[in-house]
Amino acid sequence: MLYDTAPPPLKRPRDNPSLVTVVRAELARNKRGFVPWYHLIAPLVITIPLFLGALGSSEAKAGQTFEVFRNVTLEFWGVLVPMTAGLAAALTVRADQDAWRLLLSYGVPRHRYFVGKVAALGVFGFAASTVLLVMLSLGALLCGKFPEGMGVVVPAVYLPWLVGLSMTALAVLVAVMWGTGPSIGVGVAGLLCGALVSDKDFWYAVPFAWPMRVVLPLAGIGPNGVPLPENSAVRDMSAIPLAVVLAVVLTGLLLVAGSAHMSRKEI
């Protein structure tokens, strides 16, 4: 009696790259062009002229050059984080329109494209924050305030990036759904709210103001860079964990919403 000994047909594996692979692909595709250079150069463009300006300030005569440099730099950084999120999301999503026509036809779970985009832009933001930290460290070194003057710098540099991931997720979602202009509008709203709302009592209701809000109590400054009075409510450190929790929740909700939209998106 003859038996069929032929092996069963091999099942074709479903395209299923890990999220790490998708993020690496996003970083590789965006390693050239305006976006990576912007994240590298923006901290330099901010810090170099501000340091030169601090050298000529009246506070410099009192030996407070680094304090002035640090405070003004962190003020600019707090409003720049959401602006950067909107601009980077708008440009990278627009550049991906043609590629997505092909990629969305594959069997890859579509939500990974959205989450991978947000994560990749988060990596660029982290790199920009690190460049800023290096520049502030150099400023402290030149002023003879390193390392004792760096106490608040590390959290004041990285916390806006962490909280600002919610703005990155929002900007990517807006860019995917409505295009370049509205996504840049998210960044502009973040810039304005950071300057106008971050020190108000209702700051927690305006996500655009969160990155700037975590800077103010750490640096002890207002949105205009002026030192806060010792009894100012803006110095309350409890705003920082609240902003972090709100940002984590909002980021999670936006990732879910963006993933659902990508899963239904027509090619």
Side-chain angles (χ1 to χ4, degrees):
M1 184 175 179
L2 297 177
Y3 294 94
D4 186 6
T5 58
L10 296 176
K11 293 182 179 180
R12 185 181 298 274
R14 182 171 180 263
D15 290 335
N16 193 29
S18 67
L19 182 58
V20 173
T21 300
V22 175
V23 174
R24 286 177 177 172
E26 284 285 344
L27 292 172
R29 291 170 56 230
N30 290 283
K31 66 182 180 180
R32 296 183 179 87
F34 175 79
V35 171
W37 281 108
Y38 173 86
H39 284 84
L40 175 64
I41 294 175
L44 305 179
V45 172
I46 291 175
T47 53
I48 293 175
L50 289 180
F51 181 76
L52 296 176
L55 290 175
S57 66
S58 57
E59 290 84 354
K61 299 176 182 179
Q64 297 181 337
T65 302
F66 176 69
E67 287 76 8
V68 173
F69 169 55
R70 178 196 63 197
N71 291 348
V72 180
T73 299
L74 293 177
E75 173 208 354
F76 272 84
W77 192 244
V79 297
L80 186 66
V81 166
M83 184 67 216
T84 298
L87 180 62
L91 294 177
T92 56
V93 170
R94 185 178 67 177
D96 283 348
Q97 293 303 311
D98 291 336
W100 275 351
R101 292 190 181 96
L102 176 63
L103 293 174
L104 295 180
S105 65
Y106 292 156
V108 178
R110 291 183 172 190
H111 70 275
R112 292 182 188 170
Y113 292 129
F114 183 86
V115 177
K117 173 71 70 178
V118 174
L121 292 180
V123 171
F124 282 127
F126 183 84
S129 299
T130 302
V131 174
L132 182 73
L133 178 62
V134 170
M135 296 302 294
L136 285 168
S137 299
L138 289 175
L141 189 63
L142 291 173
C143 295
K145 295 295 182 69
F146 186 87
E148 62 272 10
M150 298 291 292
V152 303
V153 171
V154 174
V157 166
Y158 285 112
L159 277 173
W161 164 80
L162 179 62
V163 174
L165 289 176
S166 59
M167 292 298 94
T168 298
L170 176 60
V172 172
L173 178 59
V174 170
V176 170
M177 296 182 67
W178 295 300
T180 302
S183 180
I184 293 178
V186 170
V188 174
L191 187 151
L192 294 176
C193 288
L196 301 176
V197 180
S198 58
D199 60 340
K200 302 298 188 293
D201 293 338
F202 56 88
W203 65 269
Y204 55 85
V206 186
F208 304 105
W210 296 347
M212 184 65 172
R213 186 62 182 86
V214 298
V215 171
L216 302 184
L218 285 170
I221 58 173
N224 55 0
V226 176
L228 293 167
E230 291 297 329
N231 60 349
S232 173
V234 182
R235 287 182 175 271
D236 186 2
M237 290 290 182
S238 64
I240 296 175
L242 177 57
V244 171
V245 170
L246 290 172
V248 169
V249 172
L250 180 59
T251 302
L253 293 175
L254 290 169
L255 290 177
V256 171
S259 298
H261 175 76
M262 287 295 291
S263 298
R264 300 192 305 268
K265 187 176 178 65
E266 295 182 359
I267 300 176

